[in-house]
Amino acid sequence: MSINTPPLSPRGSLSSRSSSLATLSPYEPLLLDGLSSVDKAKAVTAQVCQNPRITAEFQVRGLVRFDDQCVVFEARQRQSRAPVTIKVVFGANSNQELHILQQLQNNSHSVHLLDYWKDEHFCYIITDFVGSPWLKLVSQPPKNPHNQSSYTLCGWACAHRNYFQRTAGTTSIPTSLIQIVFKQCVESLLALHQAGYYHGNIKLDSFGVYASDAGPLVKIVELGTAGCITYGMERYGNVEGSPPELLHDSPFTKYQIDGRKADVFAMGIMLAGLVSEDGELPILSQPSLAGIFGYDDLIFLDGGNYPIGETVVEPSLLDLLRGMCCVDPSNRFSLERALHHQWLQF
């Protein structure tokens, strides 16, 4: 039986906003250190729209997302008209991200590096564009769509909840649709792990979702926080997905923490949010409760099972979530085991 989904063409078009973006004031790059992420994004946007190489080769069409380390734009190559992503990195060293992209160049589950260059201030990374403008389908989109990117799994989930609320009276996303996109998320992350890296910041915005005639296609699109698995891990990129082994009373040292297992935990938390009726994450993973419970508390709370919540009643799904979010990382599922779990066999 087919399931209705929000109507969206394979490649939605955005009206060009280059002219309005270019009116922002120019800036002195050395002053970026004192700016908020929003002001950094405005300053970098103004610079990009006046950059001779970018304006000669690309038509900048809009802002996709930004954070303290980078600003990401949607653009088109002027000659081929192919959609691309321009990522301007101004924070952490970009060499590792470039190295990872080069290693994943032939992998179908990752964005592909098309070009890159550096100047005295920034690194410019050009990749193929992955994603459809899901938030254009939402009657009341989030107030800040750039931090809940229209083109990622976050936008996909928002559009589908809105659609099913209007057509079926529920904000729940059908399980069969979640299975399709989540399995591709697992495959995308597994490719990164097999290359010797963990992601370090798994969340909905880590995955681009493109509406194709064959259904939603998912690729991992953000690799700026990835790290080598042999170096251990000190912190996770987002509080919601941070695993128990990084809590203050954890018995593990930095070098004993496997970033891949941390990613699995974050993927489980992400899945719990997707399958919940309103998109809420498990209560203990919410930032307001961060640090309230320690590692030992969680170990003894429910026999080592992370408290997912009472909304998940399907036994197979609950087993997968408990396996991916197991408090003890040594007992936690690997991505390979998650990929072959019964719930993802459809």
Side-chain angles (χ1 to χ4, degrees):
M1 181 178 67
S2 62
I3 296 178
N4 292 328
T5 59
L8 184 66
S9 60
R11 176 67 66 185
S13 60
L14 293 177
S15 59
S16 175
R17 288 174 279 177
S18 299
S19 58
S20 61
L21 293 177
T23 61
L24 294 170
S25 301
Y27 74 106
E28 291 291 335
L30 294 179
L31 298 180
L32 280 181
D33 287 345
L35 299 179
S36 67
S37 59
V38 174
D39 288 335
K40 286 180 182 179
K42 291 180 179 179
V44 173
T45 298
Q47 180 75 358
V48 163
C49 290
Q50 299 169 22
N51 184 293
R53 179 168 180 177
I54 289 179
T55 55
E57 297 183 24
F58 306 99
Q59 177 190 10
V60 178
R61 308 189 72 202
L63 181 64
V64 174
R65 63 184 181 276
F66 61 87
D67 57 32
D68 288 334
Q69 305 297 327
C70 69
V71 182
V72 182
F73 301 91
E74 178 195 6
R76 283 192 182 275
Q77 291 180 327
R78 291 192 180 277
Q79 185 172 2
S80 68
R81 306 301 299 164
V84 299
T85 295
I86 301 175
K87 181 176 183 179
V88 183
V89 183
F90 48 85
N93 192 305
S94 58
N95 289 337
Q96 180 155 278
E97 182 173 0
L98 288 170
H99 182 65
I100 295 172
L101 285 169
Q102 289 168 341
Q103 284 191 275
L104 297 177
Q105 189 68 1
N106 297 319
N107 193 290
S108 61
H109 297 297
S110 172
V111 293
H112 295 143
L113 180 66
L114 303 177
D115 195 8
Y116 72 92
W117 68 89
K118 299 181 181 182
D119 59 24
E120 64 271 30
H121 303 297
F122 305 125
C123 176
Y124 305 85
I125 301 175
I126 314 299
T127 62
D128 55 339
F129 187 85
V130 177
S132 296
W134 297 101
L135 290 185
K136 292 185 70 176
L137 304 175
V138 178
S139 55
Q140 292 183 332
K143 292 182 179 180
N144 188 357
H146 302 307
N147 284 343
Q148 299 189 46
S149 178
S150 177
Y151 307 94
T152 67
L153 190 54
C154 183
W156 178 90
C158 184
H160 280 74
R161 291 190 191 282
N162 182 269
Y163 175 78
F164 287 109
Q165 184 177 40
R166 288 186 285 108
T167 60
T170 178
T171 55
S172 295
I173 304 173
T175 297
S176 58
L177 292 180
I178 296 175
Q179 287 172 312
I180 291 171
V181 296
F182 187 73
K183 186 171 186 176
Q184 293 181 70
C185 290
V186 174
E187 292 170 337
S188 299
L189 183 58
L190 181 58
L192 181 65
H193 286 185
Q194 290 174 338
Y197 298 93
Y198 63 81
H199 186 277
N201 192 23
I202 288 294
K203 56 186 185 299
L204 293 175
D205 275 341
S206 302
F207 302 94
V209 186
Y210 169 58
S212 75
D213 293 334
L217 298 179
V218 181
K219 289 187 178 184
I220 198 164
V221 295
E222 182 54 59
L223 298 171
T225 57
C228 183
I229 60 176
T230 59
Y231 295 161
M233 172 180 279
E234 288 186 282
R235 64 183 63 87
Y236 208 74
N238 63 88
V239 174
E240 295 87 346
S242 186
E245 56 266 33
L246 287 172
L247 289 170
H248 62 90
D249 63 337
S250 163
F252 305 98
T253 67
K254 164 188 173 181
Y255 299 103
Q256 292 175 315
I257 295 177
D258 187 339
R260 295 168 297 184
K261 286 297 185 75
D263 282 344
V264 172
F265 180 87
M267 285 282 282
I269 295 298
M270 187 181 82
L271 176 59
L274 283 172
V275 299
S276 68
E277 182 176 0
D278 54 5
E280 286 292 322
L281 299 175
I283 188 168
L284 290 189
S285 68
Q286 296 177 15
S288 61
L289 293 179
I292 297 296
F293 288 85
Y295 183 87
D296 288 339
D297 296 326
L298 293 176
I299 283 289
F300 294 106
L301 189 62
D302 184 22
N305 292 316
Y306 191 83
I308 297 298
E310 299 178 356
T311 58
V312 178
V313 295
E314 183 184 345
S316 178
L317 173 58
L318 182 60
D319 182 71
L320 176 60
L321 286 171
R322 283 181 169 175
M324 297 185 74
C325 297
C326 184
V327 175
D328 185 346
S330 65
N331 294 327
R332 193 175 300 154
F333 281 6
S334 65
L335 274 186
E336 291 88 347
R337 184 172 177 182
L339 185 61
H340 293 96
H341 191 273
Q342 178 185 354
W343 192 76
L344 288 177
Q345 307 310 305
F346 51 86

